[in-house]
Amino acid sequence: PCLFQALHQLYYDPNIENKNLAQKWLMQAQVSPQAWHFSWLLLNMDKVPEIQYFGASALHIKISRYWNDIPADQYESLKSQLFTQITRFASGSKIVLTRLCVALASLALSMMPEAWPCAVADMVRMFQAEDSNVDGRARCLALLELLTVLPEEFQTSRLPQYRKGQVRSVLAQECGSVFPLLEQLLQQQDSPGFIKQKVLKCFSSWVQLEIPLMDCENLIQAAFTSLQDPELFDTAVEAVVNAISQPDAQRYVNTLLKLIPPVLGLQEQLRQAVQSGDMETSHGICRIAVALGENHSRALLDQVEHWQSFLALVNMIMFCTGIPGHYPVNETTSSLTLTFWYTLQDDILSFEPDKQAVYQQVYRPVYFQLVDVLLHKAQFPSDEEYGFWSSDEKEQFRIYRVDISDTLMYVYEMLGAELLSSLYDKLGRLLTNTEQPSTWQHTEALLYGFQSIAETIDVNYSDVVPGLIGLIPRISISNVQLADTVMFTIGALSEWLADHPVMINNVLPLVLQALGNPELSISSVSTLKKICRECKYDLPPYAANIVAVSQGNDLTLYVFSLTQTSQCMWLMQALGFLLSALQVEEILKNLHSLITPYIQQLEKLADETPNPSNKLAIIHILGLLSNLFTTLDISHHDDDHESNEVKKVPVQQGPNPVVVVLQQVFQLIQKVLSKWLNDAQVVESVCAIFEKSVKTLLDDFAPMVPQLCEMLGQMYSTIPQASAIDLTRQLVHIFAHEPAHFPPIKALFLLVTSVTLTLFQQGPRDHPDIVDSFMQLLAQALKRKPDLFLCSNLDVKAVFQCGVLSLKFPEAPTVKSSCGFFTELLPRCGELAPVGQVVHENGKVLLQAVLEGVGGQASRSLMDHFAEILFALNKHCFSHLSVWIKEAMQQEGFPSARVNPEQKETFSQQILSRERVNKRRVKEMVKEFTLLCRGLHGTEYTADY
């Protein structure tokens, strides 16, 4: 009764919690020993299908997962019971029949080949035998269902690897009992459509067992014939595509060659489908042509004497790429073909030079045609039509254009500079032809093609770029999409402009003009940023103009800025690049006029009572300053990438302009902070200004260090926030080796540590972010300035205990950072006496925490990090570790009740063995042991682990 009650709750109770409880209970019931008994009772014909389904599912679970529990002498009775039930349900509920077939399939896979040698032939024989109680068609459908689920069950089965190979080859041989039956059913005139459909599905399922393609030939041809029947079309497409796509098929070149004519024979059906707007049919036929071309282009190209028939297939795929209509509204087929062009090109370019030259002659014209087709497909529809598209359709079209752009970039490898020349000639003719004015869509698509290539390929050597830069101002920009593409094309050419600064004046006015149009804010600002970054040393003559336009724009930007935040930030980065190349006095003058309006605004906001809208405005202004300081860098970084230390070449005397500004606004920032100290986002924005400045300025930031450390200390003592620790970490990293500037940073480090230790005493569980940042700070200190751990007022033992606590947090990032701390700390046992003492006295507690994590307390994704700690303990405290691990493993049920004393002993010995010096092996040992501890060893969960 309890079982029926739970099933009733699962299917009919509206309360979701009751459903969940019932499901949990039923899942346990399914794996219990009683399941063998109740499953058969639930299959009684007087039960409703839902209950019967549960009974059939329980049988499948028992057979597939607990096969070893079944005594060998019961195999036969289990088999015949399942056959009986399947025959009973042949005319009954479809879902129950399928589950029973899956159960019998699972049984067959576990028994074959020894315990059940000709399983598939037996199944066919059993169901073909006359049985007066069951209608012949129902029997036939039940057999087809069983034969269809058998390969599917094999694909998902939990058979060990060696058994999988064995069973696969047995099944592949047994197709001799299945395929003749399928062929017969497809060819019989009186076979109803639903039987033929089932036959095609069954064939689809079997071809995935890597059956030789030539054995599938007759059924593939029959499937081609079925494509003429609208009712069977979709299933026949699946069958043909699955058969052609199996990886093994390329070995059967003669069969593949025989498949080209029937594929080409579908062209008439394809044309009619396109004319009548039947998208399903054109999509299906295209899938077949692409499956043959994409999976086997190398094998078919190799058949040189058949080059014409393969070229005909390539042209058929070209027709699919250029299928009429706009994607995704009038067609969804063309996107399927793009990968084929990559594959074909790769295969052609992989031949040795002589053979490649021959193929290039045939296929270069094809690829030039492809470029025309793709640019035609990339064209926007008419404005009126585009207006009716939904936002989802517009987004799909945008992604489709990106895919086309990637394809064009790839094709450049095959066609080279000639491709750019051809695009330039077309654009030139289009823009200078006064007789036939072109549509903006045509111009836009050609430019888009150019931009796709210039964005990633170095076009500095191209002789057509000067002409293109000359043509751009001639484009009459009539709408947003064209304007955006013009902007992005200029942006893509910014590196070329840096090498040809005389041409900047041709395009810069267009960009500055576009800045004034809110609709173009993304493209114009990102293009300005690229130009300012690449060409900054050539821009001083234009700087005043750029700053003026940005400012004129900027104050209006402030009005709509909160809706277009990222563009404002980019604009500030662009101005940072621009100002970097000016003289210091000029920078200060421009900074003053640029920042003053914001500072005034911030002063006003600092006096107001905190509320949500002024919070947004404050964060916005602080963000603008951060972004400006991210790129405003007046020292030339040394381009010596070999050395890891960042070198700088100072260019001027006197303070850095950024520092001057920061010192001017420092008190204002403190005032803002005092009111918003409780708000993590505002604190984060303040820290970001300094973090960005420190990263850009490096040593030049030194004059700010004392006051910043003081402010951070006050901030953190009042209300601890993770962003303050992150900024402290940045300071430790950059000034660790600067004795003159380090004292205030050292004081800050000790303060942050003592405040955080107090937080740990009060209970750190609510602050995983602070704990995470604190662990990272400690690791950074050990890496850059280990003697911080020698300070008399640093409680190393308390820090160690906090690390151990942090290892037990549920948040994976926090645990990962704690592991990072110990991985830095343990190697310092020898050189730092206080650290050595604490580790030797408390290391056992650390080991205990690590083993708990491995035992199942921590996420499996963290096991490599725990292994790093074990590796370090082994390397730096071996004699202690061998005692600690022995003591820890003697605890009953530790680190998991699922491992027995022998398994624990094996793991301990492995960890202490010679292999302990090999980090990769230690990681493997830990992975192996954690699976045992979690009861997952040898299950499907471990396959991808």
Side-chain angles (χ1 to χ4, degrees):
C2 200
L3 185 68
F4 292 118
Q5 193 182 340
L7 282 163
H8 191 273
Q9 266 184 335
L10 178 66
Y11 291 120
Y12 306 114
D13 194 322
N15 181 330
I16 195 78
E17 277 180 20
N18 292 348
K19 270 187 194 302
N20 290 342
L21 279 172
Q23 185 170 18
K24 210 168 179 183
W25 189 86
L26 287 165
M27 282 168 81
Q28 287 167 338
Q30 277 185 321
V31 301
S32 68
Q34 292 77 30
W36 284 120
H37 175 65
F38 70 67
S39 300
W40 302 107
L41 296 177
L42 295 182
L43 285 166
N44 278 342
M45 282 304 182
D46 59 350
K47 302 282 184 281
V48 293
E50 289 90 337
I51 287 180
Q52 296 169 333
Y53 176 82
F54 183 78
S57 283
L59 279 173
H60 170 239
I61 285 173
K62 295 301 278 185
I63 292 169
S64 63
R65 293 193 198 169
Y66 300 93
W67 176 250
N68 295 335
D69 298 353
I70 307 173
D73 58 4
Q74 288 185 22
Y75 292 171
E76 284 306 315
S77 70
L78 187 55
K79 182 164 80 178
S80 67
Q81 272 178 294
L82 280 168
F83 268 123
T84 309
Q85 290 292 352
I86 289 173
T87 313
R88 279 177 55 215
F89 276 92
S91 316
S93 161
K94 171 80 177 67
I95 56 167
V96 183
L97 172 68
T98 301
R99 269 346 266 162
L100 287 166
C101 288
V102 172
L104 180 57
S106 187
L107 179 84
L109 294 171
S110 295
M111 286 174 71
M112 63 174 60
E114 297 83 6
W116 190 359
C118 305
V120 181
D122 284 357
M123 291 173 185
V124 174
R125 205 174 43 253
M126 289 282 293
F127 281 95
Q128 284 184 323
E130 283 303 318
D131 182 339
S132 52
N133 302 335
V134 184
D135 155 58
R137 265 186 195 167
R139 258 203 337 271
C140 177
L141 277 174
L143 172 60
L144 287 171
E145 184 62 33
L146 178 57
L147 293 176
T148 305
V149 298
L150 184 62
E152 290 168 0
E153 180 65 9
F154 170 75
Q155 304 290 7
T156 57
S157 70
R158 304 169 175 219
L159 296 170
Q161 215 45 49
Y162 76 95
R163 284 273 297 139
K164 266 212 145 155
Q166 194 183 20
V167 173
R168 184 194 295 278
S169 58
V170 173
L171 284 173
Q173 288 160 3
E174 293 242 28
C175 77
S177 313
V178 180
F179 284 11
L181 169 72
L182 299 184
E183 285 170 35
Q184 182 195 340
L185 287 170
L186 273 181
Q187 282 153 7
Q188 273 175 7
Q189 292 303 312
D190 60 342
S191 279
F194 62 88
I195 294 257
K196 287 185 173 175
Q197 192 138 20
K198 203 80 197 106
V199 168
L200 289 165
K201 276 191 180 147
C202 183
F203 173 52
S204 246
S205 177
W206 275 78
V207 290
Q208 292 174 45
L209 293 171
E210 291 176 23
I211 289 163
L213 193 65
M214 53 194 186
D215 296 347
C216 308
E217 217 176 296
N218 294 347
L219 278 167
I220 295 176
Q221 295 294 355
F224 269 111
T225 312
S226 307
L227 289 169
Q228 303 306 317
D229 181 341
E231 191 188 347
L232 301 179
F233 182 82
D234 290 343
T235 326
V237 168
E238 284 306 323
V240 174
V241 168
N242 284 344
I244 294 174
S245 304
Q246 49 164 321
D248 195 45
Q250 59 203 26
R251 300 209 329 246
Y252 305 95
V253 178
N254 290 333
T255 308
L256 289 173
L257 287 167
K258 283 188 206 166
L259 291 177
I260 295 181
V263 173
L264 295 176
L266 297 170
Q267 287 181 97
E268 190 42 47
Q269 193 180 352
L270 174 62
R271 282 201 184 85
Q272 285 173 359
V274 169
Q275 268 174 348
S276 61
D278 173 358
M279 279 158 72
E280 274 76 24
T281 301
S282 49
H283 198 80
I285 293 175
C286 171
R287 279 185 62 200
I288 292 174
V290 168
L292 184 56
E294 197 175 305
N295 289 295
H296 306 297
S297 67
R298 177 73 202 222
L300 293 168
L301 279 169
D302 269 329
Q303 306 307 305
V304 181
E305 64 280 15
H306 295 280
W307 70 272
Q308 282 168 306
S309 71
F310 183 60
L311 184 58
L313 178 67
V314 172
N315 285 325
M316 180 176 175
I317 296 173
M318 180 77 79
F319 175 79
C320 297
T321 305
I323 208 158
H326 285 289
Y327 180 95
V329 176
N330 323 99
E331 62 92 7
T332 53
T333 300
S334 56
S335 61
L336 299 179
T337 64
L338 297 180
T339 328
F340 164 73
W341 299 108
Y342 284 77
T343 311
L344 177 62
Q345 177 175 315
D346 283 347
D347 288 336
I348 291 171
L349 297 181
S350 69
F351 286 125
E352 68 279 1
D354 297 352
K355 199 168 181 183
Q356 194 179 311
V358 175
Y359 279 109
Q360 285 259 21
Q361 236 176 336
V362 177
Y363 283 100
R364 270 178 77 86
V366 173
Y367 272 85
F368 273 113
Q369 185 193 346
L370 174 67
V371 171
D372 290 345
V373 167
L374 290 176
L375 290 178
H376 182 72
K377 293 296 292 180
Q379 282 188 28
F380 279 88
S382 69
D383 294 332
E384 188 184 3
E385 199 182 329
Y386 193 63
F388 286 116
W389 285 19
S390 69
S391 58
D392 191 36
E393 286 166 340
K394 287 177 179 172
E395 177 57 10
Q396 281 184 11
F397 181 58
R398 185 190 69 75
I399 294 167
Y400 174 68
R401 277 174 48 106
V402 171
D403 291 341
I404 286 180
S405 170
D406 292 345
T407 312
L408 289 169
M409 185 183 82
Y410 205 75
V411 167
Y412 180 83
E413 194 187 346
M414 176 103 149
L415 302 179
E418 208 182 321
L419 171 54
L420 289 178
S421 309
S422 118
L423 290 174
Y424 172 64
D425 292 344
K426 289 189 175 118
L427 190 63
R429 284 202 298 277
L430 207 61
L431 293 176
T432 51
N433 184 349
T434 45
E435 327 254 296
Q436 283 179 303
S438 60
T439 62
W440 70 263
Q441 285 91 339
H442 201 163
T443 310
E444 190 279 334
L446 283 168
L447 263 186
Y448 183 69
F450 222 107
Q451 174 212 327
S452 305
I453 295 160
E455 251 172 354
T456 39
I457 309 281
D458 181 4
V459 293
N460 281 7
Y461 307 103
S462 165
D463 51 358
V464 302
V465 177
L468 177 69
I469 296 270
L471 280 176
I472 285 177
R474 300 186 61 151
I475 297 172
S476 67
I477 297 180
S478 48
N479 84 336
V480 173
Q481 284 94 355
L482 176 58
D484 268 338
T485 303
V486 169
M487 284 304 119
F488 287 129
T489 306
I490 295 171
L493 296 170
S494 55
E495 282 182 41
W496 185 90
L497 287 168
D499 289 344
H500 306 81
V502 63
M503 303 295 273
I504 291 175
N505 203 24
N506 267 31
V507 289
L508 189 60
L510 289 173
V511 179
L512 295 180
Q513 189 187 345
L515 272 180
N517 180 347
E519 281 188 292
L520 302 179
S521 63
I522 291 184
S523 59
S524 61
V525 172
S526 76
T527 296
L528 182 65
K529 182 180 156 185
K530 280 181 179 170
I531 292 177
C532 289
R533 186 180 62 216
E534 300 300 335
C535 314
K536 64 180 175 186
Y537 297 113
D538 302 298
L539 291 179
Y542 310 102
N545 194 8
I546 296 174
V547 172
V549 171
S550 304
Q551 261 188 296
N553 192 30
D554 228 318
L555 293 173
T556 56
L557 263 183
Y558 190 75
V559 181
F560 68 83
S561 57
L562 300 179
T563 54
Q564 299 200 332
T565 307
S566 49
Q567 285 90 288
C568 303
M569 302 305 163
W570 294 345
L571 189 54
M572 279 304 200
Q573 288 179 20
L575 295 172
F577 285 126
L578 174 74
L579 297 181
S580 304
L582 303 181
Q583 294 299 314
V584 175
E585 313 74 78
E586 283 295 305
I587 298 179
L588 285 168
K589 206 167 77 185
N590 279 295
L591 272 178
H592 181 72
S593 71
L594 189 62
I595 293 180
T596 304
Y598 293 117
I599 301 303
Q600 289 167 346
Q601 183 81 16
L602 194 57
E603 281 170 339
K604 220 169 85 201
L605 292 164
D607 289 330
E608 293 176 10
T609 314
N611 68 51
S613 73
N614 61 21
K615 169 183 163 174
L616 274 181
I618 287 172
I619 289 177
H620 180 76
I621 293 175
L622 294 173
L624 291 174
L625 294 176
S626 289
N627 278 281
L628 179 63
F629 298 156
T630 304
T631 55
L632 207 172
D633 185 8
I634 56 173
S635 56
H636 299 267
H637 288 263
D638 218 355
D639 283 340
D640 173 15
H641 295 303
E642 298 306 307
S643 82
N644 291 329
E645 286 297 313
V646 187
K647 289 187 187 158
K648 292 212 142 186
V649 186
V651 287
Q652 95 300 338
Q653 292 306 306
N656 187 296
V658 172
V659 173
V660 173
V661 172
L662 282 175
Q663 283 175 327
Q664 286 170 356
V665 297
F666 198 81
Q667 279 184 309
L668 173 58
I669 288 177
Q670 279 183 304
K671 185 176 175 184
V672 169
L673 258 185
S674 61
K675 284 204 175 171
W676 289 90
L677 210 45
N678 272 316
D679 191 293
Q681 285 170 297
V682 175
V683 171
E684 210 171 296
S685 303
V686 168
C687 289
I689 290 187
F690 294 106
E691 196 176 351
K692 297 275 170 50
S693 310
V694 172
K695 274 184 178 164
T696 312
L697 302 180
L698 302 176
D699 303 348
D700 284 355
F701 187 82
M704 291 294 302
V705 167
Q707 58 200 115
L708 178 59
C709 287
E710 191 186 344
M711 182 178 94
L712 278 173
Q714 289 167 352
M715 247 166 78
Y716 195 74
S717 312
T718 320
I719 296 180
Q721 307 254 14
S723 49
I725 307 185
D726 294 335
L727 181 49
T728 307
R729 186 179 83 233
Q730 195 72 37
L731 291 170
V732 169
H733 174 66
I734 288 171
F735 292 100
H737 303 303
E738 301 280 343
H741 307 302
F742 201 69
I745 297 173
K746 176 179 173 179
L748 173 63
F749 171 78
L750 294 170
L751 176 71
V752 165
T753 303
S754 89
V755 171
T756 313
L757 292 178
T758 313
L759 187 78
F760 263 90
Q761 286 163 357
Q762 296 159 354
R765 272 299 306 113
D766 298 336
H767 308 286
D769 56 335
I770 291 181
V771 176
D772 184 349
S773 293
F774 180 55
M775 290 296 136
Q776 290 186 47
L777 170 65
L778 294 171
Q780 182 72 273
L782 284 159
K783 206 182 288 182
R784 299 283 290 175
K785 195 81 174 158
D787 51 3
L788 281 170
F789 278 71
L790 295 172
C791 299
S792 54
N793 49 353
L794 178 75
D795 189 340
V796 178
K797 182 178 177 182
V799 166
F800 184 92
Q801 288 166 334
C802 292
V804 173
L805 263 179
S806 313
L807 284 176
K808 301 180 183 181
F809 269 49
E811 292 81 5
T814 306
V815 180
K816 185 177 164 186
S817 299
S818 315
C819 290
F821 160 58
F822 284 113
T823 316
E824 289 294 337
L825 182 83
L826 294 168
R828 306 265 185 243
C829 283
E831 67 184 89
L832 302 173
V835 170
Q837 189 186 344
V838 166
V839 171
H840 296 152
E841 288 170 9
N842 303 274
K844 187 179 167 188
V845 190
L846 169 62
L847 177 68
Q848 182 95 3
V850 169
L851 291 174
E852 277 171 22
V854 174
Q857 297 295 316
S859 153
R860 265 170 45 208
S861 65
L862 293 162
M863 288 309 113
D864 278 359
H865 302 286
F866 280 110
E868 298 257 5
I869 298 182
L870 279 174
F871 180 76
L873 278 168
N874 235 325
K875 194 168 176 183
H876 303 284
C877 324
F878 179 66
S879 55
H880 289 83
L881 177 65
S882 41
V883 178
W884 295 335
I885 198 163
K886 202 170 182 178
E887 290 174 3
M889 289 300 197
Q890 276 168 356
Q891 302 168 75
E892 186 71 32
F894 179 86
S896 155
R898 289 196 177 88
V899 282
N900 59 38
E902 291 77 41
Q903 290 169 319
K904 295 202 283 189
E905 179 60 22
T906 306
F907 176 64
S908 306
Q909 283 176 353
Q910 278 183 327
I911 287 291
L912 300 169
S913 73
R914 275 226 198 87
E915 288 195 278
R916 68 175 193 273
V917 298
N918 179 337
K919 195 182 283 187
R920 188 179 54 81
R921 270 299 292 134
V922 174
K923 287 180 178 178
E924 284 167 8
M925 294 168 196
V926 169
K927 279 186 174 171
E928 195 75 5
F929 188 60
T930 197
L931 292 172
L932 287 169
C933 291
R934 294 163 199 260
L936 296 174
H937 202 270
T939 65
E940 72 197 288
Y941 295 108
T942 61
D944 56 347
Y945 182 50

